[in-house]
Amino acid sequence: MNNLGNTKKDNATENIALDEKDIAILQLLEEDAKMTIRDLAAKLNLSATPVYERIRKMEQAGVIRQYAAIVDPSKIDKALTVLCYISLKEHGKKAGAKFIKEITSFPEVMECLNISGQFDFMLKVQVKDMLAYHEFNVNKLGELDNIRHMESVFVMSVIKATHRVVY
Amino acid sequence: MNNLGNTKKDNATENIALDEKDIAILQLLEEDAKMTIRDLAAKLNLSATPVYERIRKMEQAGVIRQYAAIVDPSKIDKALTVLCYISLKEHGKKAGAKFIKEITSFPEVMECLNISGQFDFMLKVQVKDMLAYHEFNVNKLGELDNIRHMESVFVMSVIKATHRVVY
DNA sequence: ATCAGTATAGAATAATGTTCCGTTTCAAAA
DNA sequence: TTTTGAAACGGAACATTATTCTATACTGAT
């Protein structure tokens, strides 16, 4: 077990208090970021201005981190998702930072989490198929020199996948 | 090991071929869905019309599944992420469907994957803190009657988290 | 009750999305 | 090589939406 990685606070301005209206706006935008301000205003029984300014505040405060187009992996020939668990040989600050830098540079790695338990990291890897994963494993992960142990868990189906964190 | 859950194809129209320009558009929109069509056009050395029509086609084909506002969990007091691994007692179709229906209804569950290995499912749970996770565990997961075994892995830090699948 | 700060509505303006149409490009068929 | 048709494109016109501005209404503290 270790605690590598970024633990510093976010770059945005300090925290802001969110009321029920802000929460409602977030919930709607999490589902559909293209919803117009007028539609939002209608749902909240407000005019456009306050909705607009609430959104702007939440953007500047870093509450809304990003607006993203979510692409269906299977439609772009990336149908296989693998969870790859990794434990390191050396857990020193320098060795950890090196590992993180390398892992982060791989576009196949959608997610890298520093976790508790017998492994140090969980990677979520998105690739075309098993062959592509094998090649990723051999040519990219296999080239890293600090890996003690590795284990792959394959995703057979996605039951639920949401970006909503507000509830 | 089982294979519960939705394996049918998506609701959108049939697949479309994507060329380099489409890929470039997707990459940009994955990072910033609010980028204007004219800005996209400028980056691709195109006019607005073809960019607009390419985006519309990809939306209709289901390549672009959604436009989402991504909210920072820590900013809304949901600072703890837990990976919760679950194996079921009964793997029959009916029992599996019941479990899925219940799990899906919990807002704390961001993600539910049907996986290979010793467990059947991995849940990604997003909550305020350890106390909230304990309560989720006892009051929600604990009420399910089909769980054989359960294991929690805690996320200590997020090294990388992206929604980009196009590369 | 008064004041200061904040939130709001409504209208005006700026920016962006969307459509239209004539032109170009490109590849297949002759 | 020429012809032809379909698809992609550019530029302008139009429609919708975001953004700003100003005046008003609200809220809490003194």
Side-chain angles (χ1 to χ4, degrees):
Chain A
M1 187 149 80
N2 63 20
N3 190 2
L4 304 167
N6 184 9
T7 54
K8 73 185 171 210
K9 284 294 170 187
D10 280 342
N11 41 3
T13 57
E14 81 285 5
N15 285 6
I16 61 171
L18 302 176
D19 62 15
E20 318 75 39
K21 290 172 185 172
D22 293 318
I23 297 294
I25 291 171
L26 285 179
Q27 286 178 331
L28 290 165
L29 289 182
E30 279 186 318
E31 281 301 309
D32 179 13
K34 282 281 205 285
M35 185 173 288
T36 69
I37 290 181
R38 287 189 173 90
D39 284 347
L40 289 168
K43 282 186 186 285
L44 300 180
N45 285 90
L46 285 176
S47 68
T49 310
V51 174
Y52 174 77
E53 286 178 352
R54 282 164 180 272
I55 292 173
R56 195 169 51 81
K57 275 184 190 171
M58 292 192 287
E59 288 170 354
Q60 290 177 346
V63 174
I64 297 174
R65 187 206 308 253
Q66 183 189 16
Y67 294 98
I70 308 299
V71 174
D72 184 340
S74 70
K75 293 286 171 56
I76 57 154
D77 212 23
K78 299 276 188 295
L80 179 62
T81 308
V82 186
L83 307 179
C84 181
Y85 295 83
I86 293 177
S87 63
L88 300 185
K89 291 179 193 164
E90 310 243 352
H91 294 81
K93 195 163 188 170
K94 194 171 177 180
K98 183 167 179 284
F99 173 80
I100 286 172
K101 187 181 177 187
E102 291 164 328
I103 279 294
T104 305
S105 73
F106 300 147
E108 296 93 340
V109 176
M110 301 273 301
E111 212 171 313
C112 176
L113 305 177
N114 186 203
I115 57 177
S116 72
Q118 59 174 323
F119 290 100
D120 295 316
F121 297 96
M122 187 197 85
L123 274 47
K124 184 189 282 183
V125 182
Q126 191 78 47
V127 289
K128 179 183 181 191
D129 52 22
M130 195 61 82
L131 176 60
Y133 182 65
H134 181 247
E135 280 172 2
F136 168 77
N137 220 301
V138 171
N139 297 326
K140 296 196 174 175
L141 292 185
E143 290 300 311
L144 305 181
D145 52 48
N146 192 22
I147 293 181
R148 178 196 305 277
H149 189 53
M150 222 183 70
E151 203 169 305
S152 298
V153 169
F154 296 93
V155 175
M156 298 190 294
S157 78
V158 178
I159 309 298
K160 180 178 184 178
T162 180
H163 307 100
R164 295 189 55 162
V165 293
V166 185
Y167 55 91
Chain B
M1 188 148 80
N2 62 21
N3 190 2
L4 304 166
N6 183 11
T7 54
K8 73 184 170 206
K9 282 295 168 187
D10 279 342
N11 41 4
T13 57
E14 79 285 6
N15 285 7
I16 60 170
L18 302 177
D19 62 15
E20 318 74 39
K21 289 172 185 171
D22 292 318
I23 297 294
I25 290 171
L26 286 179
Q27 287 177 332
L28 289 165
L29 289 182
E30 279 185 319
E31 282 301 309
D32 179 13
K34 281 287 205 291
M35 185 173 288
T36 69
I37 291 181
R38 287 182 170 86
D39 283 347
L40 287 168
K43 282 186 186 284
L44 299 179
N45 285 89
L46 285 176
S47 68
T49 309
V51 174
Y52 174 78
E53 287 176 352
R54 282 165 180 272
I55 291 173
R56 194 169 51 82
K57 274 185 189 170
M58 292 193 285
E59 288 170 354
Q60 290 176 346
V63 175
I64 297 174
R65 187 207 306 252
Q66 184 189 15
Y67 295 98
I70 309 299
V71 174
D72 183 338
S74 70
K75 293 285 171 58
I76 56 154
D77 212 22
K78 299 276 188 295
L80 180 63
T81 308
V82 185
L83 307 178
C84 180
Y85 295 84
I86 293 177
S87 63
L88 300 184
K89 291 178 191 164
E90 310 243 352
H91 294 80
K93 195 165 189 170
K94 194 171 176 181
K98 183 167 178 286
F99 173 79
I100 286 172
K101 188 180 176 188
E102 291 164 327
I103 280 294
T104 305
S105 73
F106 301 146
E108 296 92 341
V109 176
M110 301 273 301
E111 210 172 317
C112 175
L113 306 176
N114 185 204
I115 57 176
S116 71
Q118 58 174 324
F119 289 100
D120 295 316
F121 297 98
M122 187 198 84
L123 274 47
K124 184 189 281 183
V125 182
Q126 192 78 46
V127 289
K128 180 183 180 192
D129 51 22
M130 195 60 84
L131 175 61
Y133 182 66
H134 182 246
E135 280 171 2
F136 168 77
N137 222 300
V138 171
N139 297 326
K140 297 196 172 174
L141 292 185
E143 290 300 310
L144 306 180
D145 52 50
N146 192 22
I147 293 182
R148 181 198 303 277
H149 189 53
M150 222 184 72
E151 204 169 303
S152 297
V153 169
F154 296 94
V155 175
M156 297 191 293
S157 78
V158 177
I159 309 298
K160 180 178 183 177
T162 180
H163 306 100
R164 295 189 57 163
V165 294
V166 184
Y167 54 92

